Amino acid sequence: MPQLEYRMPRRAGRHFLQIPGPTNVPDRVLRAIDFPTIDHRGPEFAELGKAVLAGMKRVFKTSTGEAVIYPASGTGAWEAALVNTLSAGDRVLMYETGHFALLWQKMAARLGLEVELVPGDWRHGADPEAIEKRLRADGEKRIKAVCVVHNETSTGVTSRVAEVRRAIDAAKHPALFMVDTISSLASIDYRHDEWGVDVTVAGSQKGLMLPPGLSFNCISPRAHAASKSARLPRSYFAWDEMIANGKSGYFPYTPATNLLYGLAEALKMLLDEEGLDSVFARHQRHAEATRRAVRGWGLEVFALDPREYSASLTGVMLPAGHDADRVRKVGLSPMLVAENVGRAYSAGQAHRGFMTSPGHRANVVEPRVTAVGLGIVAGPPENGTIPLFVTELFTEGM
Ligand code: PLP
């Protein structure tokens, strides 16, 4: 019999995951997941299903919208947003805020949509004025949806969603408004109803403090109505059955029961214990500390407009003469407590020399944030190394 070769690498101490996502999962959430799987058609499950759907509506800040939970990564929820609302050949307006905006664009094109991409420099969020201009120019109202990534995980730039909404209104354009909140929900203020968003896309593995594996759509009544005439093929991601089953707390198929236990625990922490406003303030505080440390070390924050600084991760310019791949490799070295230095864009890619710092979110002890998150400072380019300053770690007695 062949033996299963894979083994978790054995290391002393706690694995310290500090990347933009997945984030480290609180012990309480892990313990909640570690509970016997129940019958997903039984009455006990219905209570769990109803509770997590209601909790997610509070996180999205919706009273009129519907929430659905997919056993899928965030990419699944992107697809769900598009296939439920649009038909082949529909035009969608997307804004190039970074890597994830481009991935969503690629998906839209693959699904047979006609994508109009507003080019961006990655150091700014979606520009409401540019969007308004495009929409005003669309006299025939061919654009059926405007899609924006709220928090670009590849750059640390947060788009001003409320202003984009105002731009759509100013242009008097009927397009649906779709927003990816995969790295902002439950970390950065977000208001589905108030900001007039039609479909919000979210994932479990960042602000919600869960492992990867769940994703979400929050659906406005307009988007729900649009789904009735949308013609893109859909089955697994079809909203109608999800919404109908969700009313009684069930799923049309086997749900990720144990992740939902974890979600219930995380929602308790976010909504009923710390409270969303305190969660957002904590992330802002960490982000400000991170930016100050970056500047203190003579490095440059990637985001250029202070209104668009991300509170959940910080992009840092790698000074000329350094190799982003090398920084990443050093960050991954076993000698470090920090297991990863985040997504580094290597030579040859669009944003050569750019890297994002680890996320400063979720379940970290505050003094650690700047210590581990920013243990990277440019060293002398001639030897190609990046000295790593981990001394601040010892403030926590590690
Ligand atoms: N959108 C954003 C902003 C993301 O950060 C990610 C993943 O990091 C995705 C979409 C894709 O989500 P997933 O990798 O869970 O499919």
Side-chain angles (χ1 to χ4, degrees), residues 79-90 113 144-145 176 178 199 222-235 238-240:
E79 181 162 337
L82 300 175
V83 297
N84 278 287
T85 52
L86 300 165
S87 303
D90 277 355
L113 300 168
K144 299 296 177 210
L176 293 170
M178 305 197 195
V199 189
R222 261 189 88 217
H224 195 186
S227 72
K228 309 288 177 207
S229 53
R231 289 288 161 263
L232 277 181
R234 56 188 182 268
S235 171
W239 284 341
D240 46 4

Side-chain angles (χ1 to χ4, degrees), residues 53-78:
L53 285 167
M56 283 309 299
K57 287 188 191 176
R58 286 172 65 197
V59 175
F60 285 120
K61 299 202 173 149
T62 186
S63 54
T64 58
E66 301 283 357
V68 296
I69 305 176
Y70 295 108
S73 85
T75 302
W78 263 350

Side-chain angles (χ1 to χ4, degrees), residues 122 322-325 344-354:
W122 290 35
H322 292 286
D323 173 355
D325 277 347
Y345 283 83
S346 56
Q349 285 192 280
H351 287 262
R352 182 181 175 138
F354 164 75

Side-chain angles (χ1 to χ4, degrees), residues 20-22 72-76 78 100-101 103 149-154 180-184 201 203-206 212-215 343:
S73 85
T75 302
W78 263 350
F100 290 101
L103 285 181
V149 175
H150 185 206
N151 187 67
E152 247 301 343
T153 321
S154 62
D180 167 344
T181 64
I182 287 176
S183 64
S184 58
V201 173
S204 56
Q205 73 272 28
K206 293 183 168 89
L214 294 180
S215 59
R343 178 178 292 273

Side-chain angles (χ1 to χ4, degrees), residues 19-169:
I19 55 174
T23 57
N24 49 8
V25 179
D27 288 347
R28 271 179 62 180
V29 174
L30 289 174
R31 280 198 295 271
I33 291 169
D34 182 13
F35 196 77
T37 305
I38 53 172
D39 174 10
H40 59 281
R41 301 280 174 225
E44 213 183 319
F45 184 88
E47 294 311 309
L48 170 68
K50 280 189 271 191
V52 290
L53 285 167
M56 283 309 299
K57 287 188 191 176
R58 286 172 65 197
V59 175
F60 285 120
K61 299 202 173 149
T62 186
S63 54
T64 58
E66 301 283 357
V68 296
I69 305 176
Y70 295 108
S73 85
T75 302
W78 263 350
E79 181 162 337
L82 300 175
V83 297
N84 278 287
T85 52
L86 300 165
S87 303
D90 277 355
R91 184 172 289 186
V92 292
L93 185 67
M94 293 182 145
Y95 200 102
E96 185 196 356
T97 46
H99 177 69
F100 290 101
L102 292 180
L103 285 181
W104 203 9
Q105 174 218 7
K106 201 163 136 194
M107 170 188 275
R110 275 192 191 140
L111 290 169
L113 300 168
E114 197 185 299
V115 185
E116 192 176 324
L117 184 74
V118 186
D121 66 359
W122 290 35
R123 298 190 75 178
H124 292 90
D127 176 5
E129 277 178 34
I131 289 175
E132 184 177 333
K133 210 167 139 206
R134 293 284 179 124
L135 293 176
R136 280 189 191 279
D138 180 33
E140 292 171 29
K141 310 287 183 249
R142 287 199 55 211
I143 295 170
K144 299 296 177 210
V146 175
C147 302
V148 167
V149 175
H150 185 206
N151 187 67
E152 247 301 343
T153 321
S154 62
T155 64
V157 176
T158 305
S159 286
R160 290 164 280 144
V161 172
E163 290 181 40
V164 175
R165 173 75 257 171
R166 283 198 286 277
I168 299 171
D169 292 344

